[in-house]
Amino acid sequence: MLIRIYKAVQTLLLIAVVTIIAALFSVIVFLDMNPYVIVSGSMEPELPVGSLCFIDCQQKEPETGDIISYKAGDSVITHRVIEVTDEGYVTKGDANDSNDPGVVKQKQVFGTYVFNIPKAGYAVMFFRSLKGIVLTITFVICFSLLGRLLENRRE
């Protein structure tokens, strides 16, 4: 009985992991989109903190009103284009009172926002952290050991 439950959980976990990895791989490789985690509230409510937003890397010539991700120093900023000028793009976070400093040059633009998955960014940040990596490895080892124990008990 316990071994059947274990096998069912194992199968469901495997299907879930493979599905998520295949979906992300497809979006990133075939649709040429990059995911970014939203870490500030500057674009709320459109892009809530903790969202995983996807940027179309083919669309690098945004229009007024589009949301873009661009390189600013060592950071990636995702803000709305409020004006297109000859020099580049004037941007602003929806929740900010003032425009971003300076003008975003064309070469800084990674792409244009397409969609987001609310709260999924928290999972990405967790699995990238040392704590997340250690807990994931520990879970996999414990789950595997449990399977072996159940198999040995069955024999």
Side-chain angles (χ1 to χ4, degrees):
M1 172 70 173
L2 282 176
I3 194 72
R4 283 188 188 155
I5 294 171
Y6 173 84
K7 293 286 187 187
V9 170
Q10 181 184 40
T11 301
L12 288 174
L13 284 174
L14 183 61
I15 290 170
V17 168
V18 168
T19 301
I20 290 168
I21 290 171
L24 283 173
F25 180 80
S26 297
V27 166
I28 292 168
V29 173
F30 297 120
L31 300 178
D32 197 18
M33 290 188 191
N34 281 343
Y36 293 99
V37 177
I38 302 299
V39 295
S40 81
S42 66
M43 282 301 294
E44 288 190 335
E46 180 82 23
L47 298 174
V49 174
S51 294
L52 186 63
C53 85
F54 289 83
I55 302 300
D56 181 352
C57 297
Q58 296 293 319
Q59 177 57 295
K60 293 188 178 186
E61 294 184 17
E63 299 174 0
T64 300
D66 288 346
I67 297 172
I68 63 170
S69 285
Y70 63 92
K71 182 85 169 164
D74 291 335
S75 301
V76 175
I77 308 291
T78 302
H79 279 173
R80 190 176 303 278
V81 173
I82 59 167
E83 184 182 352
V84 179
T85 69
D86 292 337
E87 298 162 15
Y89 305 101
V90 178
T91 58
K92 176 182 171 294
D94 289 356
N96 294 347
D97 292 331
S98 58
N99 298 350
D100 296 340
V103 174
V104 177
K105 307 288 186 204
Q106 181 65 45
K107 65 183 179 184
Q108 293 175 267
V109 177
F110 288 129
T112 304
Y113 165 80
V114 179
F115 69 95
N116 77 83
I117 303 172
K119 301 192 188 322
Y122 290 125
V124 170
M125 289 188 300
F126 173 75
F127 287 116
R128 291 171 104 186
S129 72
L130 179 61
K131 182 179 181 181
I133 292 167
V134 169
L135 285 173
T136 301
I137 291 170
T138 302
F139 173 78
V140 169
I141 290 169
C142 290
F143 192 74
S144 297
L145 289 174
L146 175 63
R148 292 206 180 218
L149 287 172
L150 290 173
E151 285 288 335
N152 289 341
R153 188 172 157 211
R154 191 170 124 188
E155 292 170 3

